[in-house]
Amino acid sequence: MRPILLQGHERSLNQIKYNRDGDLLFSVAKDKVVCAWFTSNGERLGTYSGHQGAVWTVDVSPNNRLLATGAADNTIKLWNIKTGECVKTWENPTAIKRVQFSEDGSRLLAVSEKRMGYLGTIVVYSINYGDDLTEQSDEQDLKITCEEAKATVAGWSYLDKYIIAGHEDGSVSQYDSKTGETLLNVEVHEFDTTINDIQFSPDRTYFLTAGKDKTAKILSSRNLEILKNYTADTPLNTAAITPRKDFVILGGGQAAMDVTTTSARQGKFEARFYHKIFEDEIGRVRGHFGPLNTIAVHPRGVSYASGGEDGYVRMHHFDKSYFDFMYEVEREAARK
Amino acid sequence: MSKVQAREWAEDVSDSEQINDPEALPAPTTVVNKDGTKTTITYRIDDSGRRVKVTRKTRTTIHREKVNPEVAERRAWAKFGLEKGKPQGPQPDTTSVGENIVFRPSRDWKSVQAAEAKDGGGKAEEKSLKEQLRDKKVKCRICQGEHFTARCPYKDTMAPVGDDNTPAADPLAEDEDASTKNASGGLGAGSGGYVPPHMRKGANASAGERMGGKFERDDLATLRVTNVSEMAEEQELRDLFERFGRVTRVFLAKDRETGRAKGFAFISFVDRSEAARACEKMDGFGYRHLILRVEFAKRTG
């Protein structure tokens, strides 16, 4: 497996995302630039410039027409993917930490930071895909305010029925996506440890959370029941579910502020592969010089990419040994 | 891609110009070889003004892939932003290929890792021994001060403390024990008089033992090898035994007059476990037509 190194950013990566077809990869970092890459050869398609601060989050619309980004300059921007133009900017009182398009792409949620007297919120906008992409409504469709602990990450469940959010206190909540009503709130990770990432399965019926308490958990979208638990030996920044093979990839490492005081070997800057069902660690992939901030998996499960504190995106196309690996029971089941 | 452009550029140069300029470089040529590869020869002038001929062999492999029409359409999109106007294909400043990574998922990854850690642990132990040695303070054999014996201000006035206890050579010796012994016997501070060398180490040390004593200080990890060939060399023995661990000393008894080996030798290891392994493996080993007998050295007397 020869990774392709993408050096489009000068500062640490915040999020990377594949589009639905898996031919494009989008990356955002603390250096204000949004990059689009072809996944087949690592060629950079272009950059989207306009943000005035660190870009925290990115998402691609399912029809590959719009790109949404949220940044520390308190704005959510929509971009025309093909031309690189900014088509819409929504202002917000505080920084945007996470954006995600709904499953059908008709709505966009954004998680805002709790700061300067403003409480953390989750806001939802309607997205219009007419001929003129700049025609977007300024009206907020929905606004959920997190009174207790601010939300750090959020996403849409299956059929866009719920909005599921991870909080800074380690709990996960389920909101009704129509009314914004809180349906469930479950303490999932150790109390007072931030949930750093939430990624959904392809059908969005379950999701994977990555916590600062060194664990990642799979929860059911329907009732927030904990289905699986993966324990690592380092705080986790990100976790992804691999389609095609039943694995999960966890990424983390020493916090950025502690990096200089630990050697690269101790820092544990590796992508860890766990078996999704058996919860065993099955391997690691080295390469980054800093903690892994974000991991994304190709929607068909043929490659994965990781973005690190070191400013690099490493894109790995899996080779045969990855696809061949099976547990005995899996092999037997496959034979039948 | 860039290669092709270079050729086009050269073709653009009009003929007259080329004739007028004797410095002009020959036009690049491309030859298609029999095996389907292409050989491109280009010329350029390097930084120090020399002409350089560059010969490149390229093989073109066509890789066909069926993709969604939308994906194919996106491949043809014009570049924008910072990439605007750049030619097709990955740019070397943003895209590079990393080192190959071997990734083989395995079910007992944890236990393999644990075993490796254990091996690493062994190394760490060795390392710690080194560190122990490094941290060993320099101690004067005459006055116990923190300097080399040769630099001792009392060098010419005091007798040295028994020369069998150089701290650097013997890291396993108990420090306190040795130093107290040295202090009492060496300086002879109690009696104040001169103590002859053979009396310094205690009453039971006989003169005969002192001779061998130099070599038998760490008898715990020392092997006695007998039935050694007369033609044996110290270096050969060292090579034989070094496979089992670090050998600190090889002593091969030799006849003073003939210079031939007397038939026995002592091998000292750093670690007793290594010595034990060597003892087990090398006992009965055929060396120079003779069968070695290896056992732990016994302290005589």
Side-chain angles (χ1 to χ4, degrees):
Chain A
M1 186 159 85
R2 279 188 95 88
I4 300 176
L5 272 64
L6 311 178
Q7 297 142 278
H9 297 285
E10 286 164 2
R11 294 200 55 200
S12 63
L13 272 290
N14 284 326
Q15 200 178 15
I16 53 180
K17 257 297 166 45
Y18 281 89
N19 66 343
R20 195 173 265 192
D21 295 323
D23 65 322
L24 293 175
L25 178 77
F26 298 90
S27 62
V28 293
K30 284 188 186 160
D31 64 356
K32 306 175 194 171
V33 185
V34 184
C35 292
W37 311 84
F38 285 114
T39 57
S40 54
N41 59 359
E43 180 181 352
R44 185 157 76 170
L45 168 65
T47 58
Y48 306 84
S49 39
H51 273 299
Q52 300 298 315
V55 189
W56 291 115
T57 174
V58 63
D59 198 26
V60 201
S61 71
N63 61 5
N64 291 301
R65 289 189 66 195
L66 286 173
L67 187 74
T69 54
D73 60 0
N74 303 348
T75 59
I76 307 163
K77 280 182 189 287
L78 278 184
W79 310 84
N80 182 335
I81 290 183
K82 185 179 176 178
T83 61
E85 289 159 350
C86 178
V87 293
K88 177 74 192 171
T89 304
W90 284 292
E91 295 278 347
N92 195 66
T94 58
I96 304 296
K97 297 297 287 223
R98 193 55 72 119
V99 291
Q100 194 175 69
F101 282 100
S102 62
E103 206 171 7
D104 61 357
S106 63
R107 301 168 92 193
L108 176 78
L109 72 75
V111 179
S112 72
E113 185 72 84
K114 172 185 179 180
R115 195 163 289 155
M116 298 178 289
Y118 291 96
L119 285 169
T121 59
I122 302 171
V123 291
V124 177
Y125 292 97
S126 293
I127 304 295
N128 164 32
Y129 294 98
D131 288 332
D132 188 5
L133 290 170
T134 55
E135 277 177 27
Q136 305 289 351
S137 93
D138 281 318
E139 284 294 301
Q140 281 175 3
D141 226 18
L142 185 69
K143 182 171 176 179
I144 302 164
T145 308
C146 307
E147 305 275 351
E148 285 172 23
K150 73 172 185 197
T152 50
V153 288
W156 300 86
S157 79
Y158 59 92
L159 306 175
D160 302 334
K161 197 168 175 193
Y162 310 114
I163 290 174
I164 289 171
H167 297 270
E168 62 170 347
D169 65 351
S171 66
V172 172
S173 340
Q174 186 191 52
Y175 304 99
D176 188 305
S177 70
K178 296 261 166 25
T179 62
E181 188 188 340
T182 311
L183 302 174
L184 280 169
N185 184 296
V186 182
E187 193 65 44
V188 175
H189 286 272
E190 233 169 81
F191 182 71
D192 233 17
T193 57
T194 318
I195 295 179
N196 286 323
D197 199 9
I198 192 165
Q199 292 202 21
F200 283 81
S201 68
D203 60 3
R204 295 182 188 247
T205 52
Y206 60 93
F207 57 92
L208 181 62
T209 60
K212 208 181 159 194
D213 62 349
K214 306 182 181 178
T215 62
K217 291 172 203 285
I218 284 187
L219 274 73
S220 157
S221 298
R222 189 164 44 95
N223 53 9
L224 302 189
E225 186 193 348
I226 298 176
L227 304 175
K228 294 286 172 192
N229 182 23
Y230 312 95
T231 312
D233 53 359
T234 175
L236 295 175
N237 293 332
T238 179
I241 300 167
T242 63
R244 188 157 163 184
K245 299 295 287 184
D246 282 328
F247 300 150
V248 294
I249 313 175
L250 314 185
Q254 223 74 39
M257 57 186 293
D258 302 330
V259 163
T260 50
T261 56
T262 43
S263 77
R265 180 131 193 90
Q266 284 178 325
K268 310 186 175 92
F269 308 137
E270 293 158 316
R272 297 123 199 280
F273 284 71
Y274 283 70
H275 197 282
K276 188 166 77 183
I277 315 290
F278 299 108
E279 306 179 356
D280 293 333
E281 186 164 3
I282 53 166
R284 289 187 186 180
V285 172
R286 277 190 289 137
H288 280 287
F289 300 113
L292 276 73
N293 286 344
T294 172
I295 290 177
V297 184
H298 191 286
R300 284 204 314 278
V302 294
S303 71
Y304 88 95
S306 55
E309 190 72 21
D310 56 3
Y312 284 98
V313 176
R314 296 173 69 94
M315 195 160 62
H316 308 73
H317 290 268
F318 293 124
D319 45 26
K320 197 164 171 294
S321 65
Y322 169 86
F323 297 108
D324 287 350
F325 173 74
M326 269 189 213
Y327 273 57
E328 266 322 302
V329 280
E330 288 178 293
R331 193 159 290 136
E332 270 169 33
R335 237 179 263 138
K336 272 171 203 167
Chain B
M1 197 65 206
S2 55
K3 250 183 289 165
V4 175
Q5 277 198 336
R7 191 179 59 210
E8 283 167 357
W9 167 83
E11 279 167 355
D12 280 347
V13 177
S14 65
D15 286 346
S16 58
E17 247 179 54
Q18 238 170 9
I19 295 159
N20 292 342
D21 187 5
E23 288 292 298
L25 296 168
T29 49
T30 306
V31 185
V32 181
N33 299 327
K34 268 185 192 161
D35 58 348
T37 59
K38 269 186 197 168
T39 308
T40 313
I41 300 170
T42 52
Y43 299 88
R44 62 182 173 88
I45 292 174
D46 71 358
D47 298 338
S48 49
R50 285 173 303 192
R51 280 177 168 215
V52 182
K53 179 181 172 186
V54 183
T55 310
R56 274 203 202 95
K57 259 196 173 175
T58 47
R59 180 190 296 278
T60 316
T61 317
I62 297 171
H63 173 76
R64 279 185 205 282
E65 196 182 357
K66 276 199 179 154
V67 293
N68 187 327
E70 270 190 36
V71 173
E73 189 201 315
R74 281 200 286 271
R75 285 257 33 147
W77 278 0
K79 292 190 176 182
F80 55 87
L82 294 174
E83 292 288 310
K84 194 170 184 167
K86 294 210 180 146
Q88 223 191 346
Q91 300 299 305
D93 60 331
T94 52
T95 308
S96 57
V97 178
E99 260 175 59
N100 192 29
I101 294 174
V102 180
F103 176 59
R104 276 214 180 77
S106 88
R107 200 186 152 172
D108 52 352
W109 186 86
K110 270 262 159 75
S111 59
V112 170
Q113 219 56 20
E116 263 176 34
K118 224 185 205 176
D119 284 359
K123 270 178 206 156
E125 231 168 71
E126 229 177 81
K127 203 170 140 201
S128 74
L129 188 70
K130 259 186 200 167
E131 273 169 7
Q132 225 174 302
L133 272 173
R134 198 194 306 138
D135 291 342
K136 200 89 182 171
K137 279 204 183 99
V138 173
K139 199 198 274 175
C140 173
R141 269 178 285 146
I142 296 171
C143 64
Q144 308 299 316
E146 284 185 0
H147 51 250
F148 288 108
T149 311
R151 298 261 168 94
C152 182
Y154 307 110
K155 189 167 63 176
D156 301 324
T157 55
M158 282 176 170
V161 171
D163 52 350
D164 57 339
N165 214 326
T166 43
D170 195 356
L172 299 174
E174 289 134 307
D175 248 345
E176 290 172 42
D177 207 355
S179 61
T180 48
K181 236 189 257 170
N182 289 348
S184 60
L187 284 170
S191 59
Y194 171 73
V195 182
H198 70 277
M199 301 284 280
R200 276 184 202 149
K201 242 209 136 176
N204 61 344
S206 68
E209 248 190 341
R210 288 259 331 134
M211 281 173 72
K214 192 181 168 197
F215 295 109
E216 272 165 6
R217 54 174 174 252
D218 49 353
D219 56 329
L220 269 180
T222 300
L223 298 176
R224 188 176 70 167
V225 186
T226 50
N227 205 23
V228 182
S229 162
E230 280 194 338
M231 317 294 280
E233 297 283 339
E234 273 194 11
Q235 190 54 49
E236 284 178 349
L237 287 174
R238 182 177 282 274
D239 291 345
L240 274 177
F241 282 88
E242 227 154 31
R243 291 180 292 161
F244 302 99
R246 225 172 78 206
V247 173
T248 52
R249 177 189 66 117
V250 173
F251 171 75
L252 177 66
K254 283 183 176 166
D255 190 295
R256 210 178 297 167
E257 272 152 38
T258 61
R260 286 189 169 183
K262 274 183 162 176
F264 69 96
F266 290 98
I267 317 281
S268 300
F269 283 88
V270 173
D271 193 31
R272 187 174 162 89
S273 66
E274 289 166 355
R277 213 154 58 85
C279 178
E280 190 192 318
K281 293 272 184 216
M282 293 301 288
D283 195 20
F285 182 80
Y287 168 64
R288 291 209 176 223
H289 304 297
L290 291 176
I291 290 169
L292 294 182
R293 183 173 158 74
V294 183
E295 59 203 338
F296 272 95
K298 286 173 214 123
R299 172 154 276 188
T300 46

